[in-house]
Amino acid sequence: MLILGIESSCDETAAAVMRDDQQLLANVVDSQIAIHAEYGGVVPEIASRKHLENIYPVVTKALADARVGLDDIDLLAVTAGPGLIGSLLVGLNFVKALALIKKIPFVGVDHMAGHLLSVYLGEAPPQFPFVALIASGGHSSLFHVRDFHDLTLLGRTRDDAAGEAFDKVAKLLDLPYPGGPEIGRISREGNPQAITFPRSWLEPGSYDFSFSGLKTSVANQVNKMKKGTLPLPVADISASFQEAVVDVLTQKSIRAAQEMGCKTVVVAGGVAANSRLREMMTLECDKAGLELAMPPVSFCTDNAAMICVAGFHQYQQMAGSPLDLDVYSRSPHLMQG
Ligand code: KG4
Ligand code: ZN
């Protein structure tokens, strides 16, 4: 079986071709970062127009890279939500048109399910059950995963998502968009112990996250330091902020795995590209005697290979989606957070 996956939920137009044994034949990601960077964040109207321009060439390139034609495709998988409505509509309608003309079944996939299953693109896929942390620009969620379609949401962010906190703090420090990778880079030159920023553990036993207090604390610190005569210690502030986020993400994930009786922790989503998070997760899981599974860095941020994996499993479990399937901006049920 050959799967063509398409992702257009935010600022990446992506297409991938995968065999059902998870062998990836093509993986094309066209990022709009350079366009949105000028505005300091994603402009939804520009994003959807760019998806419209990009989707045909991106899909054509994916098919060419895989050396296959549309007639070879057995299943179409596309992100149906959560994300920007105008952007999602471009991907979904493109796929519906292909499905209709070529009479290929299609599935509308949840973007979060895609991030979660991106771990199967790595070399050491996890064994069920496991606890999964999905940390991206829009979500910071912890799931107890017993099987591909048997999972429980344990906790979610109550305010800013982890990636959103990275992006907002980067803005405070006048670093370019997207802030996450910039903070990750600059933190390598800073001292993570320079400033002790607050860790929001919330009430005992809670698996929820909250990063807005941390962001405010960084803002207060930056304002105070800007009044002084010394240059702003951007690397130290970045490293100290990053340490606070990574500390909470790591400790809550490990506690969840222990309390759920799971031997494995999975970490995915854009923030899983952060090298300090990968390092601390590796160290702490090792100490706790837990296995750790993370997708390769290139599959942490948005891509269509993860949509192929999620689409394939969804199609095996359920039928294809109907042609009147709609997009959604927020996850309606289990995958919310
Ligand atoms: O999963 P993703 O590509 O898109 C969403 O579904 O949101 O995640 C993007 C988020 C952004 O907030 C970005 O700043 C963050 O992931 N991110 C990082 C890193 N790379 C991307 N955050 C911290 N360190 C990184 N290296
Ligand atoms: Zn994403």
Side-chain angles (χ1 to χ4, degrees):
M1 192 179 200
L2 219 49
I3 305 136
L4 170 64
I6 294 179
E7 153 66 39
S8 70
S9 67
C10 191
D11 57 350
E12 266 94 25
T13 320
V17 179
M18 201 187 81
R19 279 205 319 242
D20 57 0
D21 61 358
Q22 247 130 263
Q23 173 82 23
L24 201 57
L25 304 185
N27 183 39
V28 181
V29 181
D30 189 308
S31 176
Q32 304 175 8
I33 282 177
I35 298 158
H36 297 287
E38 211 182 303
Y39 305 93
V42 178
V43 184
E45 177 63 26
I46 295 177
S48 45
R49 285 194 220 173
K50 285 288 154 195
H51 284 305
L52 213 46
E53 283 173 29
N54 293 345
I55 195 150
Y56 181 74
V58 165
V59 171
T60 305
K61 179 162 184 353
L63 291 170
D65 285 357
R67 295 171 189 275
V68 298
L70 262 184
D71 290 328
D72 302 310
I73 300 295
D74 304 296
L75 177 67
L76 299 159
V78 60
T79 309
L84 303 170
I85 290 294
S87 295
L88 289 162
L89 279 170
V90 174
L92 181 62
N93 285 324
F94 191 85
V95 162
K96 280 182 183 176
L98 291 183
L100 202 60
I101 295 162
K102 290 287 177 185
K103 300 193 174 26
I104 311 170
F106 85 98
V107 277
V109 173
D110 190 285
H111 184 79
M112 294 288 281
H115 275 305
L116 195 139
L117 298 184
S118 66
V119 71
Y120 289 91
L121 294 162
E123 283 188 351
Q127 301 289 319
F128 296 112
F130 55 78
V131 158
L133 168 72
I134 313 296
S136 69
H139 302 81
S140 308
S141 306
L142 268 173
F143 294 99
H144 181 205
V145 187
R146 291 171 294 273
D147 205 339
F148 285 111
H149 298 281
D150 181 12
L151 66 165
T152 312
L153 179 71
L154 298 174
R156 53 181 292 191
T157 184
R158 293 190 186 169
D159 38 59
D160 293 344
E164 196 179 355
F166 269 95
D167 296 338
K168 286 181 176 171
V169 164
K171 259 193 188 171
L172 291 172
L173 298 172
D174 294 324
L175 297 172
Y177 171 84
E182 283 296 320
I183 291 206
R185 209 167 301 130
I186 209 156
S187 292
R188 292 196 194 113
E189 290 144 38
N191 173 10
Q193 262 80 49
I195 305 154
T196 309
F197 286 123
R199 271 80 165 147
S200 176
W201 301 109
L202 303 173
E203 56 284 358
S206 174
Y207 296 124
D208 281 351
F209 297 101
S210 167
F211 295 110
S212 71
L214 170 60
K215 178 193 65 193
T216 306
S217 179
V218 176
N220 291 340
Q221 187 73 30
V222 168
N223 288 338
K224 203 167 76 188
M225 285 176 152
K226 274 187 175 167
K227 285 188 189 129
T229 49
L230 295 172
L232 199 65
V234 174
D236 282 351
I237 299 172
S238 295
S240 302
F241 156 77
Q242 175 179 270
E243 198 69 6
V245 175
V246 165
D247 195 10
V248 175
L249 292 176
T250 305
Q251 295 213 32
K252 287 218 174 199
S253 305
I254 288 181
R255 183 168 61 78
Q258 288 168 332
E259 290 176 3
M260 293 299 131
C262 295
K263 293 196 185 77
T264 305
V265 173
V266 165
V267 185
V271 181
N274 183 276
S275 51
R276 181 60 184 141
L277 178 63
R278 295 177 85 88
E279 180 184 56
M280 198 191 279
M281 279 283 183
T282 306
L283 282 172
E284 296 301 319
C285 282
D286 202 37
K287 260 197 239 164
L290 296 166
E291 296 284 326
L292 173 66
M294 295 183 285
V297 170
S298 59
F299 293 121
C300 289
T301 43
D302 290 349
N303 64 85
M306 68 185 196
I307 302 305
C308 288
V309 183
F312 171 64
H313 286 289
Q314 186 172 321
Y315 189 65
Q316 279 200 315
Q317 188 79 11
M318 298 167 245
S321 300
L323 272 171
D324 63 355
L325 181 79
D326 207 355
V327 295
Y328 51 93
S329 60
R330 303 194 131 260
S331 293
H333 45 82
L334 198 61
M335 300 304 292
Q336 68 184 303

